[in-house]
Amino acid sequence: CSAVAPNSTSGIPANMTEQQEVFNCLAGDAKNLASCSGSTRLRDACTFCTISLDQEEVYRTKVLEKSLSPFYGEDFYFEIPRPFQYLSFYVYAKTVFQRDLPIGKVSIRKEDLSQYSGKEHWHSLQPVDANSEVQGKVHLEMRLNEVITENGSMCQQLLVQIIECQGLPLVNGQSCDPYATVSLVGPARSDQKKTKVKKKTSDPQFGETFHFEVTRSSSYTKKSQFQVEDEDIEKLEIKVDLWNNGNLAQDVFLGETRVPVKILRNDTCHRAWYLLQPKGNGKTSKVDELGSLRLKVTYTEDNVLPSDYYTPLRTLLLKSPEVKPISASAAHILGDICRERYVLPMVRLLLHHNCLVPFVSAVAAMELDHTEANTIFRGNSLATRCIDDMMKIVGRSYLTITLKPVLDEICESNKSCEIDPMKLKEGDNVEANKENLQLYVQKVFSSITQSSASCPPVMCDVFRSLRQMASRRFPDDPQVQYSAVSSFVFLRFFAVAVLSPHIFQLRPHHPDTDVTRTLTLISKTIQTLGSLGSLSRNKLSSFKESFMYDFFKSFQEDKYVEEVKKFLNEISSNVSKESSGIEDSVVLKEGEVQKRAQGRKRIGKKNFNKRWLCVTNRQLSYHKQRGKEPLNVIPVEHILGVEKLDESAFNRKNMFQVILPEKPLYIQASNCVEAREWVEVISQVSRCNEGRRSHFHPSAYLSSAWLCCKATCEDQPGCKPCTMLTLANLQLDIDCDRETERIFSLFSANISKLQKMEDACASIAVYQGPQKEQEEYSLFTIQDPKETFQTIQQIRIVLEDLQNQHEAFKSVLTAKYGSHGNPITP
């Protein structure tokens, strides 16, 4: 990247840019579900929903009880790790025989995602047909040649070369055995030829050429099965079908493409990539209504430029903590014009460069000048939004260590904890439920108040700053220094995580109704215990529900107040806290994988076995089944790296390797998203290990040689640099260029507000005060109009320059229609 001048206008090499995509979806509910053979089959069935990239399932909701209008309410977020054509949502019914019966699907083309992004929409379910489940693309070359026949006359011959395919789907979780059929199709003919079968690959290289007779000489008199003289070249087309060879089973259709022969009239040689299409281009006969699925999809695509291009904007943002007043800084201006939108990219950028604490402290100090003690940090201000985002970024592992074990117990034991007499189920005992709830609250409370040693240092730094400023602002109220901290750590962090553990990846799915009710009662209790002022007797009488009033009496003891104070003191003090080294082992990720037996010399299906993989903060282990004793335990400190594995190593997708001192551990994840998550979590727990490898082999050592570099020595150092070597010695891996690109996008999307703010600064500076007719000026915080105006001018300059670079990037990136990057859609 350093070879390109930041202000160059000569264009940007396409290989120096990076495209990154992020997807977030809320699968709400479905209604009026029915199967093609009638809804009566579904009345006794449970349903669930899956999300797929093309045909690769990446997420599955929980199974809901019998209902033709189920509510899923599950939020799913992931960074898209590979190219795709369709984002699909499938609704299945689990029948009495435990078979998954497809009800219908919603498929959205990648090109159409932007029109649905950020909006809630009901989508009609379409039938699930094996002939419509396609993905991938095919590379073709076609030529029309004139051939001299034996009698000396001229005729036309069509040559079709199947060069290669890419991105064919997995079949039963493994790479397929593809082959292609090539047909010349017309009103009076259908001449078909077939390629050889390629074994175990999703990217087959065919390189086969087929010849077809298109026209014949007028002197040709012999009878033929085709009436060529009656056939118009306008009606001829080449049809290419991809199939998976089923050996003894039936072959599986993988996709097709159709190319009209007439395109060769002006181009005697045509070479292009084509997207594979469903059979018959997806046309289906009219079917009964299958129901609808409500989705809210958010799709973001970032085109990240080389790092040097972002230097001016990044520099402007990073000097924000030094600007006086803070409201005139670029970071504060961004927060001002994006009040309805998130500021996460800015928080991540400042956090990575150790600028977040001074910026948040300056913003919070400004807010404290205009607040009362009893409402401190209760609103949705820039300070609270920044701190909320910071806690979500750095606090994930803290939540996992602190809350996951007790939340797992609560969700899996599913004891009744309802204490509202109006909501008790038949046979429930309110006193027994109260005991259950008290036990759970005590466990959660103890887990939190004993967790100070695990609190991330940057959170402690922010809390210490807030506490000191609150003490100076309200010297006569000794409780404010605690409420300034508890309003974040209890109300906005722990209580929210208890209420919605799936959002923080503490649980795989949204809890069911009964567990959600239990978590709601626990969350309300934790909020109250964390708010010191509400523990007094006169505050208890203000609770709206009498049953909550009675329940809180059991926690109205001085020991709870003292424990909260002790905890808040510990996470907001100057004392350096060190872990005792005896903290409990906490599961960070677990799930079913395929593991290759170590040391095997051949590639074979039998070498892979299903295993239950588990990663904790102490070790990596695999088990024959969940809950069984481990077959092998690998201490975290023995892990020297974790990297993706080339598909060619074992002809399997979604594989990664855990690099160990002796032999690497080869693992296949269930899908591309899971593979990315496994690599990330193992990288995080081993990031500080001594002796981490700087290079690795992206393929396997088989038949006495590394497949990647052909080195014959098994101990040969790796041939490719490790991608995770540059991880900071922190809990975070932040891509600053990507975050700056997102900040650029936020500024660009709110350019009209930036203009209004600039106008407001000019008006205030000229007329010495905001004008009444410009009510929108009150939306902005302008303490020093001249300084703010100057910063906005600087922002405009860097935005304009970045916009020019993006335009240059687009001109380079725009691939020719039919190229690998922009395949033709028939």
Side-chain angles (χ1 to χ4, degrees):
C1 293
S2 59
V4 180
N7 298 317
S8 171
T9 57
S10 59
I12 303 168
N15 62 351
M16 296 180 67
T17 61
E18 183 181 4
Q19 191 176 62
Q20 297 174 317
E21 300 159 299
V22 176
F23 168 72
N24 177 244
C25 175
L26 175 62
D29 49 350
K31 63 182 179 182
N32 304 325
L33 295 182
S35 68
C36 295
S37 56
S39 61
T40 53
R41 294 181 60 186
L42 297 180
R43 293 192 182 279
D44 296 324
C46 302
T47 65
F48 62 93
C49 181
T50 67
I51 302 176
S52 295
L53 291 174
D54 297 322
Q55 292 185 61
E56 184 178 6
E57 181 182 316
V58 296
Y59 183 70
R60 178 175 293 211
T61 70
K62 62 186 176 183
V63 178
L64 295 183
E65 297 302 321
K66 306 167 185 176
S67 172
L68 295 183
S69 296
F71 176 74
Y72 300 107
E74 298 206 19
D75 197 358
F76 186 55
Y77 168 93
F78 66 91
E79 294 188 3
I80 299 173
R82 65 167 179 81
F84 70 101
Q85 292 177 236
Y86 289 91
L87 179 69
S88 301
F89 304 83
Y90 294 81
V91 179
Y92 289 91
K94 193 171 281 293
T95 65
V96 290
F97 301 107
Q98 295 299 303
R99 292 179 59 244
D100 295 342
L101 176 69
I103 300 173
K105 70 175 182 178
V106 174
S107 287
I108 306 175
R109 287 172 56 92
K110 177 182 177 180
E111 292 77 7
D112 300 331
L113 278 172
S114 57
Q115 70 185 67
Y116 296 105
S117 186
K119 305 170 186 175
E120 197 171 86
H121 191 78
W122 280 99
H123 299 261
S124 297
L125 293 175
Q126 302 300 316
V128 178
D129 177 8
N131 288 332
S132 68
E133 303 295 288
V134 304
Q135 69 181 61
K137 51 192 172 184
V138 58
H139 195 191
L140 304 176
E141 181 178 301
M142 293 170 289
R143 296 196 305 274
L144 269 178
N145 290 342
E146 288 188 343
V147 179
I148 301 176
T149 63
E150 292 180 358
N151 61 10
S153 61
M154 302 289 293
C155 71
Q156 283 189 316
Q157 187 183 60
L158 175 66
L159 278 69
V160 179
Q161 183 183 16
I162 308 295
I163 302 171
E164 62 179 315
C165 290
Q166 281 194 2
L168 297 181
L170 300 177
V171 177
N172 297 324
Q174 297 187 20
S175 297
C176 52
D177 296 334
Y179 69 90
T181 59
V182 186
S183 307
L184 179 62
V185 181
R189 70 158 71 184
S190 182
D191 189 9
Q192 185 180 93
K193 303 179 187 295
K194 177 182 173 182
T195 70
K196 295 177 181 178
V197 175
K198 299 297 180 179
K199 292 292 186 179
K200 301 300 177 188
T201 178
S202 298
D203 304 317
Q205 302 284 327
F206 292 110
E208 297 188 42
T209 302
F210 302 100
H211 300 79
F212 298 92
E213 181 187 85
V214 177
T215 63
R216 64 187 183 199
S217 65
S218 57
S219 61
Y220 188 79
T221 57
K222 188 178 179 180
K223 282 281 186 180
S224 171
Q225 66 183 95
F226 300 122
Q227 301 299 315
V228 179
E229 62 271 12
D230 298 330
E231 192 166 57
D232 188 345
I233 195 172
E234 293 286 332
K235 299 177 181 178
L236 288 175
E237 66 178 5
I238 288 293
K239 184 165 79 80
V240 179
D241 293 89
L242 271 296
W243 299 85
N244 177 53
N245 182 31
N247 294 322
L248 299 178
Q250 185 176 359
D251 291 356
V252 177
F253 175 77
L254 300 178
E256 70 170 31
T257 191
R258 295 171 179 258
V259 185
V261 175
K262 64 182 180 181
I263 67 172
L264 296 176
R265 280 187 163 173
N266 299 322
D267 184 8
T268 55
C269 182
H270 175 76
R271 187 183 180 110
W273 283 88
Y274 284 83
L275 283 177
L276 294 175
Q277 299 294 301
K279 186 166 287 188
N281 205 20
K283 297 177 181 177
T284 56
S285 57
K286 182 175 175 58
V287 297
D288 297 333
E289 290 292 327
L290 302 178
S292 302
L293 184 65
R294 181 165 59 94
L295 302 169
K296 184 177 181 181
V297 173
T298 302
Y299 172 75
T300 304
E301 183 178 301
D302 297 322
N303 292 315
V304 183
L305 304 176
S307 184
D308 286 349
Y309 290 81
Y310 296 110
T311 299
L313 179 56
R314 188 163 50 235
T315 301
L316 195 58
L317 289 160
L318 294 180
K319 73 175 185 180
S320 293
E322 305 166 9
V323 176
K324 306 293 184 198
I326 192 65
S327 60
S329 67
H332 195 285
I333 290 171
L334 178 62
D336 237 11
I337 65 174
C338 296
R339 292 192 178 189
E340 299 83 18
R341 304 188 68 176
Y342 74 124
V343 291
L344 184 60
M346 181 181 74
V347 173
R348 292 175 69 88
L349 181 68
L350 295 175
L351 191 60
H352 183 81
H353 290 278
N354 298 318
C355 296
L356 183 67
V357 176
F359 176 74
V360 167
S361 298
V363 174
M366 184 178 68
E367 181 179 332
L368 282 173
D369 289 338
H370 303 88
T371 191
E372 299 296 330
N374 58 348
T375 59
I376 189 170
F377 299 129
R378 294 301 177 97
N380 187 33
S381 64
L382 178 57
T384 58
R385 281 185 290 155
C386 287
I387 297 174
D388 282 349
D389 285 339
M390 177 271 295
M391 292 191 298
K392 290 175 184 176
I393 296 168
V394 305
R396 179 177 171 182
S397 60
Y398 180 33
L399 286 175
T400 302
I401 293 170
T402 305
L403 292 182
K404 193 176 189 306
V406 64
L407 290 178
D408 285 343
E409 178 187 346
I410 294 169
C411 294
E412 291 167 11
S413 62
N414 200 15
K415 292 180 181 178
S416 179
C417 295
E418 184 56 71
I419 58 175
D420 183 353
M422 303 300 293
K423 295 184 178 181
L424 289 175
K425 295 181 179 179
E426 186 176 351
D428 271 359
N429 183 307
V430 69
E431 291 302 319
N433 291 357
K434 186 181 292 186
E435 288 182 9
N436 292 336
L437 184 59
Q438 285 176 335
L439 176 64
Y440 285 153
V441 169
Q442 185 60 58
K443 286 188 175 183
V444 172
F445 180 75
S446 297
S447 296
I448 293 172
T449 54
Q450 295 172 14
S451 70
S452 61
S454 301
C455 187
V458 68
M459 287 177 61
C460 296
D461 291 342
V462 170
F463 295 153
R464 180 169 63 252
S465 178
L466 296 179
R467 182 178 172 185
Q468 292 171 350
M469 288 188 294
S471 296
R472 289 195 297 267
R473 173 70 174 85
F474 303 102
D476 298 329
D477 190 340
Q479 296 298 330
V480 175
Q481 61 174 311
Y482 294 111
S483 58
V485 178
S486 65
S487 61
F488 288 104
V489 73
F490 277 99
L491 272 66
R492 295 172 177 266
F493 188 59
F494 285 121
V496 177
V498 169
L499 186 63
S500 304
H502 62 292
I503 294 177
F504 295 88
Q505 290 82 48
L506 300 176
R507 294 289 299 171
H509 297 296
H510 191 287
D512 61 37
T513 305
D514 291 339
V515 174
T516 297
R517 175 61 177 167
T518 297
L519 295 178
T520 300
L521 294 173
I522 296 172
S523 180
K524 293 174 70 173
T525 312
I526 292 300
Q527 287 185 51
T528 306
L529 287 171
S531 302
L532 290 166
S534 63
L535 290 175
S536 59
R537 292 182 183 275
N538 63 331
K539 291 287 185 180
L540 281 173
S541 61
S542 66
F543 290 123
K544 295 179 181 178
E545 307 103 329
S546 57
F547 65 89
M548 291 300 291
Y549 171 87
D550 293 333
F551 178 70
F552 275 119
K553 284 183 178 179
S554 61
F555 293 97
Q556 194 181 8
E557 299 179 20
D558 290 341
K559 68 174 184 178
Y560 292 106
V561 177
E562 294 306 315
E563 285 186 51
V564 170
K565 281 188 175 182
K566 179 175 179 293
F567 170 68
L568 296 177
N569 280 328
E570 289 172 345
I571 64 172
S572 60
S573 68
N574 287 309
V575 179
S576 176
K577 300 175 295 299
E578 294 185 1
S579 173
S580 62
I582 57 172
E583 62 182 13
D584 293 337
S585 178
V586 177
V587 175
L588 302 177
K589 183 173 177 61
E590 58 181 338
E592 191 174 78
V593 298
Q594 292 275 346
K595 187 194 77 69
R596 187 176 191 273
Q598 288 178 287
R600 296 291 175 89
K601 301 299 183 183
R602 297 180 180 178
I603 299 177
K605 185 177 180 181
K606 293 182 180 179
N607 290 339
F608 283 86
N609 299 296
K610 284 185 179 180
R611 292 291 182 258
W612 187 263
L613 188 65
C614 180
V615 179
T616 74
N617 53 326
R618 291 182 179 179
Q619 64 190 30
L620 179 151
S621 61
Y622 53 86
H623 315 243
K624 194 167 187 179
Q625 294 176 343
R626 184 178 187 179
K628 298 291 185 181
E629 289 296 314
L631 299 174
N632 191 15
V633 175
I634 301 168
V636 163
E637 56 268 23
H638 289 181
I639 297 174
L640 305 180
V642 55
E643 297 287 344
K644 293 180 180 178
L645 198 68
D646 287 350
E647 179 186 342
S648 59
F650 301 107
N651 292 324
R652 289 176 176 241
K653 287 190 172 183
N654 307 321
M655 288 202 65
F656 63 95
Q657 57 179 312
V658 181
I659 303 172
L660 302 172
E662 295 181 355
K663 293 182 182 294
L665 185 66
Y666 296 122
I667 299 170
Q668 183 184 26
S670 57
N671 58 60
C672 59
V673 173
E674 280 285 297
R676 184 187 184 100
E677 290 181 355
W678 281 116
V679 170
E680 286 183 352
V681 73
I682 297 173
S683 295
Q684 291 297 330
V685 297
S686 63
R687 67 188 183 278
C688 299
N689 287 354
E690 294 183 4
R692 280 179 63 96
R693 296 284 168 82
S694 60
H695 287 73
F696 75 105
H697 289 286
S699 195
Y701 185 80
L702 297 168
S703 302
S704 301
W706 288 100
L707 299 181
C708 43
C709 60
K710 309 306 179 185
T712 56
C713 178
E714 191 170 2
D715 296 330
Q716 179 78 19
C719 56
K720 186 176 181 180
C722 286
T723 57
M724 304 306 294
L725 184 66
T726 57
L727 266 177
N729 201 19
L730 300 169
Q731 298 176 354
L732 309 171
D733 178 24
I734 295 176
D735 185 339
C736 292
D737 294 337
R738 182 175 182 178
E739 302 307 332
T740 313
E741 168 62 29
R742 289 180 173 176
I743 292 170
F744 164 72
S745 298
L746 285 173
F747 270 125
S748 300
N750 292 273
I751 197 70
S752 60
K753 292 183 180 178
L754 190 66
Q755 179 64 57
K756 288 181 179 179
M757 192 174 188
E758 185 178 4
D759 294 342
C761 291
S763 177
I764 295 170
V766 172
Y767 297 104
Q768 298 301 310
Q771 302 304 295
K772 293 182 179 179
E773 64 268 25
Q774 299 288 354
E775 293 184 2
E776 65 266 28
Y777 291 177
S778 62
L779 298 174
F780 308 121
T781 305
I782 303 175
Q783 295 174 303
D784 186 330
K786 291 183 179 179
E787 186 71 23
T788 306
F789 184 88
Q790 183 179 356
T791 304
I792 293 175
Q793 289 292 304
Q794 294 174 327
I795 293 172
R796 281 189 170 279
I797 292 171
V798 296
L799 292 183
E800 184 178 351
D801 185 56
L802 269 175
Q803 185 61 44
N804 291 336
Q805 306 298 351
H806 273 280
E807 293 299 328
F809 161 74
K810 288 178 183 178
S811 65
V812 173
L813 184 69
T814 303
K816 179 183 177 182
Y817 191 47
S819 66
H820 179 272
N822 189 15
I824 296 172
T825 304

